[in-house]
Every structure is written in structure tokens, then in C-alpha cells.
Amino acid sequence: MDKLRWIHLSDIHFSGDEDYEVTRMRDSIADKLKELIDGKIINFVVVSGDLVYRNGSYDAKLKKFIESVEHICNISSDNLFIVPGNHDLKRNQTRTVLLEGIRKENFKFERDTVEQLEKDFKKYKSFFKKVKLQDEDYLYKVEKREGYNVFLMNTAFTAGTDQDEGKLVLEKNLFYDAIKQLKDQECSINIAVGHHPIACFLKENQEKIWNNFNDYNIDFYLCGHQHKGAYSYDLNAGRVIPTYQCGSGRVDDYATVTFLMGELDMNTKKGKITPYKWLVNEECWTIGGIDGRKAVSGELEITLERFQKSTVSSFEDEEVNEDEFRRFMMEFHEKSKYFVNEETNIDPKDVFEKFSNMKCNKSVEKHYHSLCRYFPIIDEIMESTLLTPIERESIPNIIISEYNKALGKADNGNEIIELIVENIFQLYKNEFDYSNSILKTYFKILVYWSIYECDIFNEKI
């Protein structure tokens, strides 16, 4: 298998009483999928929850819709991966009372409690068996395939109130029993699927999920729930793990009607997700539907960090000519012409805490370790009597200014550092006789020094 491809649908919300706009859009999905696939092999289809609206009718129309997607994508029911959403359960007083007692950190589930909460998915489970030809008897499950695995999560297990956000609870023992099956799957692509974004869980549970995603080789997470396409990159466990969120499958005043098509090269472990958005007035599909600067082209690039060879191994031995760096510093002071900036935000923090807060990956820490040995040269020049107090502030203020410009334009600290360096490089590249690579390294040393001095990186992304 050279390529891994999938289709991702979510929040399709069948109600049994669809109006013209919904019916028109759904009927057109088949034609769009046929056009996009056109001989390509689709390996699996994900439907990430909320198959119906408010635990409504899992009727023949819904079954026919699901089966039509299977047929068009030419997959068997084994490669249709479905998880329930908060609309796929029945709300009742017993559930509400149970949830009030459950929603707290470190709650320990007993089997009777789990079974009681699972009863509210009865209609969903019945439909699942009809389309999958097997029982849905799990909260968390690993589906192993050749070259890839899918980790299924019932994130709606403790949903069912009007205030679910940030209050969902993980059944940690069952979760761990399932995900640890991926421990020896480091050579495979591992995809987690749930209905809710991880941020919908209790804070302590979020940390447990990301820790296990990191330790048990999850490469990215697919979800829905918020009815709008989106992406995010979590670094809380030490490795960047993306979330790709699908929009809605129902036309209304709030939703962005979207489905996603993903593709990964099995050799390079790089690829893309292409969102397709329904235009209500024009009654057709177009590329788009994911918010964010990374998706402005209509495609969202995927790079699985776990498989990428480290580009920083040479950083640890990176050498800078100290005398030349001193000359550069003096030249830079001359070129900067006493740059004056707004008041500096001083908030002393541990450097590596700052890297974590700003969602930097490990390569930044390694590069910092390599280059921080040149900080004394900067300090020596900054404290020199050759510079006036105003001159000493010039270079830090340039970096602070570029940091403030970059802060709202990037999703993590890695990107912010690269933007600062690139912007300063573009401003001053014609002022120096050094090679481009050397000049960028010098600017990066200054950026790292500014982080150390607490001039920048004092926020939390």
C-alpha cells in the first residue's frame, strides 16, 4: 500500500423529517464522492458521531445513506468506523443524576455504573449491529489493519447534559486496557477517532488522554461535535499530535457543512486533508470548510512527527565562530540604529516551561541547548561600556517587536521562532556579508537569548 486514504463524515443528524436543503445536500454527497474517488482506493470511512438528532430515528434512510457511502468508497463494513456522539444517547433523569456524581477528577467507575450509562445507547447499538454486522460492546477499541490501526473512543459515554463542555469523564482503566495494544505498533500509522474534541474532557482526563496518545503511538485524532471544520496541534505530552475536526452533515444556520478526504504517503508519512464545503445558495460542493491560516489554500498538510527523522542531530554539535559572532553583534547594533519599542513584558519563567506553554516540540529544546553556550558573548557586549543604555535596548526591542507581530499568526512556538528569524533576516539580509545560513543562526541565537531573558515567550498558547 503506497497511499492511505479515508473519508471523514460527522454530525450527520438524521431526523426522519428532513427539509429540502438537507435532502438536496445529502443526495449530492454521492456524486461528489464518486468524482473525488474516481478509481482511487479508499481504505476506510469514519463517521465520528451524532448519526441522528436527539436520539431520533435510526431509520432505513440513514442505513441506506451509510451503505451508499460504503458502496461508493468500495469498502466493506469492517472498514467503516463509527463512534457515537451526544445525540446518539437517550437523556433521562437517571442519567442526569449519575452524571452529577461522576463529573469530578479521579472518579473511579464500578461496573454497574458503566453498564447503566451504556444502556442509554441502546438504539445506537442496535443500528450499529445492522450496518456493521457485529455488536458494539465496548467503550474503547483498537481495530488493527495492515499498515495502520484505528483507536475508537466513545467520548459521549458521560455526555448528556446542556453543560457537557469540559466535563466529560474518561473510564481510565478501560481506556488504558485498549490503547496499550498499540505499544508495539510504532511502525504503523495509528489514528484515534472520537466524537468530541479532547478539550471537552475534565482537565485531568485531558492530560491522561494526551499522555497515552503520545506513549502508545497515536499520530492524529479525528473528531466532530462542533459543526465546523478545524484543526489544532497538542504538545502537552511532548510530541505534536494533531486534531482534525470535521464539520457538520446537516444544513442549518450555525453549521459549516463539511466532509474531509485524507491521504497519506505510507513511505514519507506526509500527506494532506482536503475539506469539502457545501455552498447552500449555489447548491454545490467546493474545497474549503476548515478555519485557520494553515488551511487557506483549501488543503491542510499532514506530517506525522513520530516518523520524521530528527533534523536537529547536528544542532548539538553546531559550532559558531565566537570572534565572528562578536563582530556580528557589534555590526548589528550599528545597523539597528537604536530601535525603540514598547514596554517590555518581564515575567521570569523557567525556559523549558515556556517552551511547553508555547507548544514547542523537542527540536526547539535541543537547538536551544546547542546555542545557549553563546549567550555569554551577547551578555559581554550588552554590558560593554562601548554601548549606551539606549543602544543596549535596540536589539532586544527588534526581537520583541517581531515577536508581537508573529504571536497571532502562528499556532505554536516553533512557528513563532521561525517567523521572527525570517522577518529579521528579510529586514537585514542585505546589510551583512555573512552567508544566509550563518546569518539566520545568529538571529536565532538572539531569539533564544531573548527567551532566556524573559523578553518574549511569556504567554501560553
Side-chain angles (χ1 to χ4, degrees):
M1 180 170 57
D2 294 326
K3 300 280 187 181
L4 179 69
R5 295 189 186 91
W6 65 93
I7 298 294
H8 181 188
L9 307 171
S10 194
D11 299 83
I12 53 181
H13 287 292
F14 266 74
S15 68
D17 184 24
E18 316 293 12
D19 59 19
Y20 166 80
E21 282 76 13
V22 174
T23 304
R24 176 76 171 84
M25 177 272 297
R26 288 210 183 114
D27 287 347
S28 72
I29 287 180
D31 292 334
K32 189 63 181 178
L33 287 175
K34 289 176 184 175
E35 172 194 327
L36 293 175
I37 294 170
D38 190 27
K40 297 183 179 73
I41 294 175
I42 301 297
N43 299 95
F44 64 92
V45 171
V46 167
V47 182
S48 57
D50 281 359
L51 279 69
V52 297
Y53 183 65
R54 294 185 177 179
N55 196 228
S57 175
Y58 292 86
D59 59 16
K61 290 182 179 179
L62 174 57
K63 185 171 183 288
K64 183 178 179 181
F65 174 78
I66 297 292
E67 290 174 343
S68 71
V69 173
E70 286 181 312
H71 177 72
I72 293 165
C73 295
N74 194 27
I75 64 164
S76 67
S77 60
D78 286 343
N79 292 320
L80 168 68
F81 301 119
I82 306 176
V83 293
N86 51 295
H87 281 262
D88 295 314
L89 62 87
K90 182 180 180 181
R91 294 191 184 192
N92 53 63
Q93 189 178 58
T94 301
R95 186 177 190 85
T96 301
V97 172
L98 267 177
L99 293 179
E100 288 176 357
I102 286 169
R103 288 177 166 178
K104 51 191 174 184
E105 304 288 1
N106 298 313
F107 179 82
K108 294 183 178 180
F109 286 91
E110 294 182 355
R111 185 60 207 169
D112 289 348
T113 305
V114 173
E115 290 175 352
Q116 182 61 49
L117 290 169
E118 285 186 311
K119 289 178 181 178
D120 298 327
F121 293 91
K122 182 178 179 180
K123 290 170 67 175
Y124 166 80
K125 288 173 179 283
S126 176
F127 178 78
F128 183 96
K129 188 170 185 177
K130 290 178 182 177
V131 296
K132 290 281 292 176
L133 306 178
Q134 59 181 274
D135 290 327
E136 197 265 27
D137 56 357
Y138 55 84
L139 292 180
Y140 315 100
K141 183 181 182 181
V142 170
E143 293 275 9
K144 292 187 177 181
R145 300 292 184 270
E146 184 178 354
Y148 74 98
N149 304 298
V150 179
F151 177 55
L152 302 171
M153 301 172 60
N154 181 349
T155 63
F157 169 58
T158 56
T161 71
D162 292 332
Q163 293 84 36
D164 283 347
E165 312 304 308
K167 296 182 179 179
L168 301 183
V169 185
L170 188 72
E171 211 301 0
K172 288 178 283 193
N173 290 317
L174 295 178
F175 172 82
Y176 179 66
D177 286 345
I179 198 170
K180 68 183 181 181
Q181 297 175 46
L182 296 173
K183 186 174 181 62
D184 64 349
Q185 297 295 305
E186 63 272 5
C187 294
S188 296
I189 294 171
N190 300 302
I191 304 156
V193 175
H195 176 63
H196 297 83
I198 303 303
C200 289
F201 282 85
L202 292 169
K203 183 65 176 177
E204 180 257 350
N205 285 185
Q206 293 179 39
E207 294 173 358
K208 293 290 188 292
I209 292 170
W210 290 120
N211 287 342
N212 282 280
F213 276 9
N214 180 74
D215 296 344
Y216 294 100
N217 302 310
I218 294 295
D219 293 300
F220 56 91
Y221 178 61
L222 302 179
C223 68
H225 182 58
Q226 295 185 331
H227 293 201
K228 293 182 182 296
Y231 62 87
S232 61
Y233 301 96
D234 193 272
L235 190 71
N236 288 333
R239 171 168 59 86
V240 175
I241 303 175
T243 292
Y244 302 116
Q245 179 179 297
C246 185
S248 174
R250 184 180 181 86
V251 180
D252 59 36
D253 293 337
Y254 168 75
T256 302
V257 179
T258 314
F259 69 87
L260 309 180
M261 185 173 183
E263 179 178 285
L264 266 172
D265 186 298
M266 296 297 283
N267 296 312
T268 65
K269 303 301 189 291
K270 296 182 180 182
K272 64 183 179 181
I273 286 180
T274 307
Y276 292 91
K277 176 174 66 174
W278 177 250
L279 301 178
V280 178
N281 293 330
E282 293 82 357
E283 297 186 318
C284 64
W285 294 94
T286 187
I287 290 179
I290 290 184
D291 294 334
R293 292 176 64 90
K294 287 183 177 291
V296 293
S297 69
E299 294 180 347
L300 189 60
E301 292 185 0
I302 304 174
T303 299
L304 303 188
E305 181 181 300
R306 193 167 57 86
F307 293 94
Q308 305 308 310
K309 292 182 179 179
S310 174
T311 59
V312 300
S313 57
S314 62
F315 292 167
E316 297 174 3
D317 301 318
E318 188 168 359
E319 294 289 342
V320 168
N321 184 300
E322 294 187 11
D323 289 335
E324 186 180 84
F325 185 55
R326 283 188 179 88
R327 287 196 297 272
F328 161 79
M329 283 293 299
M330 295 305 295
E331 288 180 61
F332 196 15
H333 274 292
E334 176 63 27
K335 308 290 185 185
S336 60
K337 299 297 183 184
Y338 320 145
F339 187 96
V340 178
N341 190 45
E342 58 268 26
E343 183 179 351
T344 303
N345 174 25
I346 300 296
D347 183 13
K349 291 180 181 176
D350 176 78
V351 167
F352 299 105
E353 177 188 346
K354 295 169 82 170
F355 287 156
S356 176
N357 288 341
M358 294 293 288
K359 296 185 177 179
C360 296
N361 61 30
K362 292 296 181 182
S363 66
V364 169
E365 295 187 20
K366 290 180 181 180
H367 204 191
Y368 175 89
H369 270 302
S370 171
L371 297 178
C372 67
R373 56 184 148 165
Y374 301 108
F375 291 176
I377 296 174
I378 303 174
D379 292 333
E380 171 193 322
I381 292 173
M382 289 297 186
E383 295 167 6
S384 169
T385 57
L386 297 174
L387 300 178
T388 68
I390 293 177
E391 288 176 308
R392 293 190 189 104
E393 292 300 315
S394 180
I395 290 177
N397 284 340
I398 289 172
I399 295 168
I400 293 167
S401 177
E402 293 303 327
Y403 169 75
N404 290 335
K405 294 175 186 176
L407 190 58
K409 298 179 180 179
D411 298 299
N412 56 61
N414 306 45
E415 293 181 2
I416 289 173
I417 290 170
E418 295 305 320
L419 275 173
I420 295 172
V421 171
E422 182 62 28
N423 289 346
I424 297 175
F425 171 75
Q426 293 298 330
L427 286 172
Y428 291 97
K429 63 182 180 181
N430 296 324
E431 302 288 336
F432 297 95
D433 292 329
Y434 307 102
S435 70
N436 290 348
S437 60
I438 289 292
L439 196 54
K440 287 186 177 182
T441 297
Y442 290 168
F443 289 142
K444 188 161 286 189
I445 294 171
L446 290 171
V447 171
Y448 286 144
W449 177 80
S450 293
I451 294 172
Y452 174 77
E453 290 291 313
C454 294
D455 290 340
I456 61 174
F457 267 47
N458 302 312
E459 291 78 12
K460 184 174 182 179
I461 292 183

